[in-house]
Amino acid sequence: MKAKDLWSPLDRLGEALHLLRMSGSFYCRSEFTAPWALELPAFEDCLMFHVVTSGQCWLEVEGAERRMLQRGDFALVPHGEGHTLRSEFGIAAAKLFDLPRELVSERYEILRTGGGGEATSVVCGVVRFEHPAAQRLVALLPKMVVVEASSSPHADWTQSTLRLMADEARALLPGGETVITRLSDILVVQAIRSWIAQDPAARKGWLGALQDRQIGRALAHIHRDPAREWTVASLADEVAMSRSALAARFTALVGEPVMRYVTRWRMHLALTQLKEEDTPLGDLASRLGYQSEAAFSRAFKRFIGVAPGAVRAQARPATAQQTVSAGDPKPRR
């Protein structure tokens, strides 16, 4: 048996978590005094998070049970849904973009609001995950994920990270945004790891398929070598299954046929690379297993709905800006 066939489920989950690299980040240090309530809009294709650095507040997401967040708690709203933070119930919530905010930089602002009572501070973030594996994983998360400081098995480590983030948010020293971004990466991954360990839903669908002894290895082969000329037969050979057994089990666990998944994976990789790189289309086609630029372009347009050149042209203005402002990522109206 080849060494690469010994990949464990933890290796494959680790790879998926490794791809949770944020892009398009925007941060806000929110300083509230009771009574207060803040309504945040929905942000398309984004994940939002809140770190309570002092005080406490309620988090409400439609369709999920409301949660009280205490100092040191870390909350994710993974699907960019609108939600509300509040000190207490019965208070009309102010809309985020109706409040004055101090713009510290193009990616960082400070919000202050409230009635002058008990203080609560929250570091809030809006981020995107561009990699297809990250998008797959985030899509499986519930409407809200909360890591409580008091119950976290890594409480000391988490609290040290939160204290550093709070210090950076207050001081805003040179490089502070970069530090906050990296710390946010760590905290988001830690929250998702906590959910995977505790929620039975993490053992279903695509994430459950990654943990399957044979289908998980098939997925790892596709992810690691998208340019290979994969067929159901060649994948079945790699994981020691019959073609019919692989096809049936793959569809049952992943939710789509093998070759459809191969194409989807390639096209989403292409979509990400078209937005982030200036690689010639011919080189990108070869990197993803296509014999010619024309064949790649036909497949891309058939699957994504637009030509590769159109995606690249649309991405260039955003790349030139290299910023995310309060209105970008775009809130849903």
Side-chain angles (χ1 to χ4, degrees):
M1 182 177 289
K2 301 174 185 177
K4 68 179 180 179
D5 287 337
L6 299 176
W7 295 329
S8 72
L10 287 177
D11 293 332
R12 299 188 291 270
L13 286 173
E15 280 192 349
L17 291 170
H18 175 70
L19 296 170
L20 285 172
R21 292 189 295 273
M22 298 179 187
S23 65
S25 306
F26 183 81
Y27 301 96
C28 177
R29 188 180 87 213
S30 301
E31 299 178 354
F32 303 113
T33 54
W36 60 272
L38 176 67
E39 180 183 331
L40 293 102
F43 287 91
E44 190 172 357
D45 298 326
C46 289
L47 176 151
M48 289 182 270
F49 69 82
H50 305 288
V51 181
V52 180
T53 56
S54 67
Q56 62 183 28
C57 63
W58 288 94
L59 169 61
E60 299 173 327
V61 181
E62 187 175 354
E65 183 179 355
R66 64 170 63 117
R67 294 289 297 270
M68 167 65 81
L69 304 179
Q70 307 281 354
R71 178 179 179 274
D73 290 351
F74 183 85
L76 300 182
V77 182
H79 310 301
E81 295 181 90
H83 55 282
T84 303
L85 297 171
R86 62 173 74 246
S87 61
E88 56 193 88
F89 304 115
I91 302 169
K95 296 181 183 296
L96 173 64
F97 293 122
D98 290 344
L99 294 173
R101 302 180 307 282
E102 177 186 344
L103 189 62
V104 178
S105 73
E106 292 174 323
R107 302 202 322 156
Y108 198 98
E109 66 185 17
I110 299 173
L111 168 68
R112 298 182 179 93
T113 190
E118 184 178 357
T120 295
S121 297
V122 185
V123 176
C124 308
V126 180
V127 300
R128 288 191 183 96
F129 294 111
E130 299 290 352
H131 196 282
Q135 295 167 355
R136 275 270 191 175
L137 199 160
V138 170
L140 298 172
L141 295 173
K143 287 178 172 288
M144 181 195 308
V145 177
V146 176
V147 179
E148 297 180 352
S150 59
S151 62
S152 171
H154 308 287
D156 291 342
W157 177 88
T158 303
Q159 290 309 302
S160 297
T161 305
L162 290 170
R163 281 195 296 271
L164 180 54
M165 177 180 275
D167 290 344
E168 291 290 341
R170 282 192 296 269
L172 286 179
L173 299 172
E177 291 176 22
T178 301
V179 173
I180 290 172
T181 299
R182 299 296 180 267
L183 294 175
S184 300
D185 280 344
I186 294 168
L187 290 169
V188 168
V189 169
Q190 182 62 24
I192 294 175
R193 287 172 64 185
S194 175
W195 172 75
I196 289 172
Q198 298 174 18
D199 195 327
R203 289 175 280 281
K204 299 177 181 177
W206 180 80
L207 201 53
L210 276 178
Q211 299 170 75
D212 183 82
R213 185 174 65 86
Q214 292 174 301
I215 302 305
R217 283 162 52 209
L219 288 168
H221 279 293
I222 296 167
H223 296 169
R224 293 186 177 191
D225 193 5
R228 184 166 165 181
E229 193 174 343
W230 291 114
T231 64
V232 176
S234 63
L235 269 171
D237 183 60
E238 289 285 353
V239 300
M241 296 179 74
S242 70
R243 283 177 293 178
S244 59
L246 172 68
R249 186 162 180 78
F250 192 101
T251 300
L253 292 180
V254 179
E256 63 184 330
V258 176
M259 298 313 299
R260 174 79 175 175
Y261 184 88
V262 171
T263 302
R264 181 187 299 280
W265 185 259
R266 288 171 173 167
M267 294 302 103
H268 282 138
L269 286 176
L271 193 61
T272 299
Q273 292 170 27
L274 284 166
K275 292 177 180 178
E276 296 180 350
E277 302 176 8
D278 288 325
T279 306
L281 288 182
D283 293 347
L284 180 56
S286 178
R287 187 187 299 176
L288 295 174
Y290 290 89
Q291 299 300 313
S292 69
E293 180 180 328
F296 163 68
S297 295
R298 285 194 300 271
F300 186 90
K301 186 171 184 179
R302 185 169 60 251
F303 199 91
I304 302 298
V306 295
V311 172
R312 176 160 284 169
Q314 186 177 14
R316 275 175 180 152
T319 302
Q321 291 176 11
Q322 291 291 317
T323 63
V324 176
S325 66
D328 183 21
K330 299 292 189 295
R332 298 181 195 141
R333 300 299 184 185

